[in-house]
Amino acid sequence: MRVRATTVGLLLAAALAATVQPSTAAVRDEAAPLPPIPRGRALAALAEQTHVLLAVRGGAAARRLLNAAGGHLVSAALGLWQVDGGAARTLVPALAGRGLLRYAEPDRTRRRSDHLDQGDPLLDLAWQIERVGADEVEPPGPGAPLTIIDTGVDLTHPEFAERPDLVLLTPQSTPEFGEPEYHGTIVTSTAGAPSDGIGTVGIYPRSLVRSYDLPDLEDSSIIAGIDAAVAAGPSVINLSIGGPGYSRSLYEAVMRAVEAGSVVVGAAGNDFQNGNPAIYPADYPHVLTVGATDKADHPAPFTSASLDVDLVAPGIAIPVQNPADPLLFGLFSGTSFAAPIVSATVAWLWTERPDLEPSQLAEMLRRSARDLGQAGHDTRTGFGLLSIPAALSAKTPPADPLEPNDDVDLITSRGIFGVAKPPLTGPGSGLVRVRAGIAAAEDPGDVYRVYVPAGTTLDVRVTPSGDVGVTLWHPRTESVHAGGVVARRNTLASSDRRGAVSERLRWRNASAKPVVAYLEVRLPRRERAAERVDYSLRLELTKA
């Protein structure tokens, strides 16, 4: 793929700071906590928010209360409503008192993960194409969809005015070049600008692009965009947006997208020099999190660091055509523009290999990345720099079935999806085998439903490539992340030997009725490595 050289007449980026401070990244929480119902001062603080998100259980009673208070249904699939902060003061206790409220939290406003006013005019145009090897292989025609949830695409831009295979999920706005709202056009250009003799060339120039134009950056709007992407069918969802502050609502929307068969790619954030906070949605499990590098393959000074970073891609001085003049360009920097390079690659790989599952696509990019810095995974560059040729020729990793299944609320009918995942064993089952994998940040544990008939013994053996633990939890368990007395009361059997050794547990259902218990395979609390541990799981039911 050849890139036409073009004179740069405009640089919209200032020089980046050259000093990088050592990483102070902390390990992110591996659980996705359900926020407590706010009361007292917590409720008063919540009521001061402009908008509040309320997750309710289904039923006409909840709808009547919310409609009467002027509530807005954000996601029917999640039972999620947006209300004014003042209304939340009375709605929260009213819904909680009736047992209708799952949680309440602020409708946080996210920000774009870009540095629109930064860059380096000495960098060559479109240097990212060569750096990730997109010039070494010929990209395919349209195939697996790439969904950009952002500020929309400027349809008057010469790259997109006549671009085929551009699907609009919402009406698109037309901001001025260089304004913050032009962010979505820059992201889309980086991923899929066509090879047409105009401007630059995207990583996957003939990709099928779906564009969702966000009206604002509140979580409710982002969730609506994710819902629209899910409704349109499985795709690679690019989220070059994010900010600090854990949101259960946004977490559930992302998990729903993963459950529906999409690959979610998130920009790691640009806050390394600003306290390096956790950035969401990038730091949720099952999100392919992308940091940024410079032309020397060093982490960009701004790129956020954490165990959640999976890999990196070029993110400094990415060129975009100025629509007003064919001789003018802008150079843009940020993890916002590293993420679509990876998203486009996932769509490319999925088009070439439609047989792959989403978890396999993400794992192939991790395993084929060119390691940078210290050997193995690190918090600045993840598993390394994206390599498209290496990803396309990589060995297919084992599938990871039933994801996401990190906790009980992701696999039961009373959980997030409202539909239970099938138990590994059932009436008449004998021997069952499963192969899967876990990783501290990306996939912290696997939880399975296990059917055990009355008077039957369940024998479990786990053979791992690293250190794991296994626990069988009581059917009343609400979360495997509960500790203390709750965990001891709900544990039926467990095994946690040190090292990459087999774990085995046995449990007999001595009751007169069959039960459906929860089997968890996890990294031990002492283990915080980011590398994946693969395991084989063997289950056998025998009459005692």
Side-chain angles (χ1 to χ4, degrees):
M1 183 170 54
R2 188 178 299 276
V3 181
R4 183 174 65 88
T6 309
T7 301
V8 180
L10 176 66
L11 300 178
L12 294 181
L16 285 168
T19 303
V20 179
Q21 298 298 321
S23 172
T24 57
V27 175
R28 309 306 192 198
D29 291 339
E30 64 181 39
L34 196 68
I37 303 299
R39 297 179 175 84
R41 292 182 179 178
L43 179 58
L46 186 69
E48 294 177 358
Q49 301 293 318
T50 303
H51 293 129
V52 171
L53 293 175
L54 303 179
V56 300
R57 296 179 174 87
R63 288 197 300 272
R64 282 195 297 269
L65 286 171
L66 288 158
N67 283 325
H72 165 65
L73 181 61
V74 172
S75 173
L78 298 175
L80 195 65
W81 292 71
Q82 182 199 62
V83 300
D84 292 340
R89 188 184 301 274
T90 55
L91 274 174
V92 167
L95 290 167
R98 292 168 172 80
L100 301 174
L101 184 64
R102 292 175 57 221
Y103 59 85
E105 63 180 11
D107 191 357
R108 297 177 176 87
T109 298
R110 302 292 165 176
R111 64 178 182 271
R112 303 171 186 86
S113 298
D114 66 318
H115 284 217
L116 296 180
D117 60 347
Q118 303 240 355
D120 189 344
L122 299 179
L123 293 174
D124 294 335
L125 293 176
W127 65 279
Q128 73 276 10
I129 293 176
E130 178 182 358
R131 190 51 49 89
V132 299
D135 60 332
E136 299 178 24
V137 282
E138 189 64 23
L146 170 59
T147 303
I148 308 290
I149 299 176
D150 213 292
T151 56
V153 176
D154 177 7
L155 299 178
T156 69
H157 193 289
E159 297 276 29
F160 301 108
E162 302 294 335
R163 187 192 191 280
D165 302 306
L166 177 60
V167 179
L168 309 180
L169 300 181
T170 56
Q172 308 290 292
S173 58
T174 308
E176 292 293 324
F177 185 69
E179 290 183 353
E181 288 74 18
Y182 218 77
H183 186 269
T185 302
I186 303 167
V187 168
T188 307
S189 173
T190 303
S195 180
D196 56 2
I198 299 172
T200 189
V201 179
I203 294 299
Y204 183 2
R206 298 180 61 196
S207 54
L208 171 57
V209 176
R210 297 172 179 166
S211 179
Y212 185 96
D213 192 341
L214 290 168
D216 54 58
L217 295 176
E218 287 189 336
D219 282 353
S220 54
S221 296
I222 299 170
I223 291 165
I226 295 173
D227 273 6
V230 170
S235 67
V236 182
I237 299 176
N238 186 87
L239 296 171
S240 289
I241 45 182
Y246 174 87
S247 166
R248 174 72 185 199
S249 306
L250 190 56
Y251 162 80
E252 290 189 359
V254 170
M255 291 306 102
R256 182 167 176 262
V258 174
E259 170 73 10
S262 290
V263 179
V264 181
V265 179
N270 306 312
D271 290 321
F272 183 70
Q273 296 167 314
N274 299 314
N276 197 42
I279 299 296
Y280 301 100
D283 284 355
Y284 292 131
H286 305 288
V287 174
L288 190 58
T289 304
V290 184
T293 51
D294 62 18
K295 196 177 180 182
D297 294 341
H298 297 148
F302 50 78
T303 190
S304 295
S306 76
L307 279 179
D308 298 279
V309 175
D310 291 293
L311 71 165
V312 289
I316 287 182
I318 305 300
V320 175
Q321 171 69 56
N322 185 322
D325 188 326
L327 298 180
L328 302 181
F329 287 86
L331 296 180
F332 300 90
S333 299
T335 58
S336 273
F337 315 117
I341 292 174
V342 171
S343 294
T345 301
V346 177
W348 179 342
L349 179 58
W350 209 353
T351 299
E352 298 276 15
R353 295 286 307 278
D355 57 306
L356 295 178
E357 295 183 3
S359 63
Q360 291 174 298
L361 293 164
E363 189 63 19
M364 287 177 75
L365 262 64
R366 295 187 195 99
R367 295 188 181 191
S368 62
R370 178 164 64 86
D371 196 15
L372 301 176
Q374 64 186 49
H377 184 278
D378 61 76
T379 60
R380 296 298 312 276
T381 60
F383 288 99
L385 179 67
L386 170 70
S387 171
I388 295 177
L392 292 171
S393 61
K395 182 180 178 180
T396 303
D400 198 2
L402 301 179
E403 294 293 349
N405 62 337
D406 308 344
D407 204 352
V408 173
D409 62 358
L410 291 168
I411 64 172
T412 66
S413 59
R414 64 179 185 273
I416 295 173
F417 308 128
V419 177
K421 293 189 176 181
L424 297 182
T425 55
S429 290
L431 184 64
V432 175
R433 297 182 186 274
V434 175
R435 290 183 60 84
I438 52 179
E442 193 62 42
D443 183 10
D446 289 338
V447 183
Y448 305 97
R449 298 175 69 235
V450 182
Y451 175 92
V452 186
T456 299
T457 297
L458 171 68
D459 192 310
V460 177
R461 183 184 295 273
V462 181
T463 305
S465 64
D467 194 359
V468 303
V470 58
T471 300
L472 186 67
W473 296 87
H474 193 280
R476 64 172 169 252
T477 302
E478 295 184 357
S479 173
V480 298
H481 299 296
V485 176
V486 174
R488 289 193 295 272
R489 186 175 66 242
N490 289 339
T491 298
L492 298 177
S494 65
S495 175
D496 187 1
R497 303 166 63 198
R498 285 186 176 272
V501 296
S502 294
E503 304 285 355
R504 184 175 182 181
L505 61 79
R506 292 171 59 89
W507 179 75
R508 181 174 183 270
N509 179 11
S511 69
K513 296 181 179 181
V515 300
V516 176
Y518 302 110
L519 181 67
E520 178 197 16
V521 181
R522 67 182 185 281
L523 294 171
R525 302 301 181 193
R526 60 183 174 270
E527 177 62 62
R528 283 296 178 267
E531 283 76 4
R532 174 184 169 109
V533 174
D534 294 308
Y535 65 87
S536 62
L537 177 62
R538 179 185 183 277
L539 303 96
E540 187 172 14
L541 294 173
T542 57
K543 280 288 187 181

